[in-house]
Amino acid sequence: MTPFAEAAAAKLSRGGRLDPDEALALYEHNDLLLLAALARAAKERQSGRDVYFNVNRHINLTNICAARCPLCAFGRGRDDAGAYVMDREEVVAVARRAADESPDLSEIHMVSALHPDKPFAYYLDIVAAVRATLPGIHIKAFTPVEICHFAAVSGLPIDEVLRALKAAGLGSLPGGGAEVLDDAIRGVICPRKASSAQWTEVVKAAHRLGIPTNASLLYGHIETPRQRIEHLCKLRAIQDETGGFQAFVAFPFHPDNTGLPQLARVGAWEDLKMVAIARLVLDNFAHIKAFWMMLTLPVAQLALAFGADDLDGTVAEEKIIHAAGAKTGTSIAREDIVAIIREAGYVAVERDTFYNSRRVWGTSDNG
């Protein structure tokens, strides 16, 4: 180990906070087992032996998108094959069926493309309709990038867009669209999406209004390890200011069918380093997700030994990641998530969106 990396590890052991250079030294030292030990200790200080998941249902309202980012395989033009838009009745039917099929459903998760013509009222109407149909189910919907789009098409300030959605029934925002908070990188991978400053403006506004969000990072494309670390430090600074982030999730870039097909999907080694370094840098985040759908189930399970404490949810149909070549299933049974967590030696905790425990699954099949 280099003296600098050794000093960084010692600083962590004393409860200190890594600066960007120290985090990068640990990352580039490439000692995966050291990172695992440090990150696992940090995780267990936050959440002990608990590992979380929820029973949720994803709904992607449309894939017709004005941005058409090079990094994305999901977006379509209006007249392209496979283009679709769900109307309110379709969304309500999907949500109702999900609740019927999964009596323990606790969350509807809606994200979409940036439709060039749909007014803000379309989204408000859908949130209100789902809320009226499933009054006890949490609605997590619309990335900060989508919130910026709603502000642009409606002419409303960000705060008013968020207030209107909250009044309609929205409870929290996912953290997607952050990609890498570096505008030089964004200019290549998503030039027509919200800027770093706009993404940050939305999450801070949401937190001020009592709407919690997640935070994310898309890694493994054209960014450098230093830019990943700097991204994490920006999230940490926002969390210091607002305390509104619930969890962080790192998404590996999947290149199939995107505008960046020359890139290769990073390997499991890089995935696990990313989870661990996120846990170590984000010392003010309670929860680090290993989203099984992005990582694959085996890597997500391994990530539990690298600082992750959440596998996300049962999902039940996802389209965006799979358009880019993800080979994972589009859903998972609750019992299978529980088995994965137990096999790793952790306690499976079924949670709601706010990490309140709904059920602790014991060592027997009956919980």
Side-chain angles (χ1 to χ4, degrees):
M1 186 187 301
T2 65
F4 197 48
E6 188 172 2
K11 186 178 185 181
L12 283 170
S13 299
R14 297 192 301 272
R17 170 172 278 192
L18 294 176
D19 67 28
D21 290 338
E22 293 165 336
L24 188 62
L26 278 178
Y27 191 85
E28 292 184 335
H29 177 59
N30 217 24
D31 184 337
L32 201 58
L33 296 183
L34 170 67
L35 280 177
L38 293 169
R40 193 163 58 247
K43 176 263 184 235
E44 292 185 1
R45 284 194 294 272
Q46 289 273 7
S47 52
R49 301 295 296 174
D50 292 346
V51 169
Y52 299 91
F53 71 96
N54 71 347
V55 178
N56 62 353
R57 196 350 167 145
H58 282 214
I59 303 175
N60 303 126
L61 303 180
T62 179
N63 63 353
I64 299 175
C65 188
R68 306 300 305 276
C69 300
L71 64 84
C72 178
F74 178 67
R76 296 286 187 278
R78 285 188 197 86
D79 300 323
D80 288 348
Y84 74 91
V85 184
M86 299 176 74
D87 62 26
R88 180 183 61 184
E89 287 67 30
E90 289 176 283
V91 175
V92 166
V94 169
R96 183 180 289 118
R97 186 165 61 249
D100 290 343
E101 293 173 351
S102 300
D104 294 319
L105 182 78
S106 64
E107 177 186 284
I108 294 290
H109 179 134
M110 291 191 290
V111 294
S112 302
L114 310 182
H115 196 290
D117 303 323
K118 287 293 182 187
F120 181 41
Y122 162 77
Y123 304 94
L124 279 177
D125 194 30
I126 285 176
V127 170
V130 173
R131 166 58 57 243
T133 304
L134 303 175
I137 303 296
H138 182 92
I139 300 174
K140 174 190 287 182
F142 310 128
T143 66
V145 169
E146 291 174 271
I147 299 298
C148 285
H149 177 68
F150 300 161
V153 299
S154 68
L156 295 172
I158 295 292
D159 279 13
E160 288 190 33
V161 167
L162 290 167
R163 283 194 182 94
L165 287 168
K166 185 176 181 179
L170 179 140
S172 65
L173 303 184
E179 320 308 4
V180 175
L181 295 175
D182 180 304
D183 287 322
I185 297 292
R186 300 179 76 82
V188 176
I189 65 172
C190 53
R192 289 177 291 277
K193 276 195 347 193
S195 67
S196 297
Q198 289 171 315
W199 188 93
T200 302
E201 179 189 0
V202 171
V203 295
K204 287 185 175 181
H207 297 172
R208 282 195 304 272
L209 294 170
I211 303 171
T213 77
N214 286 339
S216 65
L217 163 68
L218 182 73
Y219 66 94
H221 42 87
I222 63 169
E223 87 292 352
T224 65
R226 176 170 286 280
Q227 287 167 324
R228 297 179 196 172
I229 300 294
E230 289 172 347
H231 175 97
L232 295 176
C233 290
K234 289 176 183 176
L235 297 178
R236 185 173 68 182
I238 295 171
Q239 183 75 330
D240 278 344
E241 179 180 336
T242 70
F245 288 128
Q246 296 203 103
F248 168 81
V249 55
F251 299 127
F253 175 63
H254 289 255
D256 290 0
N257 307 314
T258 72
L260 303 167
Q262 73 278 14
L263 300 177
R265 164 79 166 86
V266 299
W269 189 277
E270 199 70 15
D271 290 333
L272 294 172
K273 281 175 65 178
M274 201 61 245
V275 170
I277 207 70
R279 173 60 82 179
L280 296 176
V281 173
L282 299 175
D283 57 0
N284 51 2
F285 277 61
H287 305 290
I288 303 293
K289 287 191 183 188
F291 190 15
W292 63 269
M293 188 168 284
M294 294 292 279
L295 295 173
T296 74
L297 280 170
V299 174
Q301 185 188 38
L302 273 175
L304 300 180
F306 287 77
D309 71 340
D310 188 347
L311 292 178
D312 197 74
T314 52
V315 180
E317 191 178 0
E318 190 285 333
K319 297 176 180 174
I320 297 173
I321 304 165
H322 288 82
K327 302 297 190 294
T328 51
T330 57
S331 66
I332 186 172
R334 178 174 60 179
E335 291 71 18
D336 291 336
I337 286 190
V338 169
I340 287 166
I341 294 169
R342 284 176 172 170
E343 188 179 55
Y346 288 99
V347 177
V349 179
E350 186 176 335
R351 61 168 175 82
D352 66 12
T353 301
F354 300 112
Y355 286 87
N356 298 305
S357 172
R358 303 185 79 213
R359 178 175 179 180
V360 177
W361 290 73
T363 54
S364 73
D365 288 341
N366 294 323

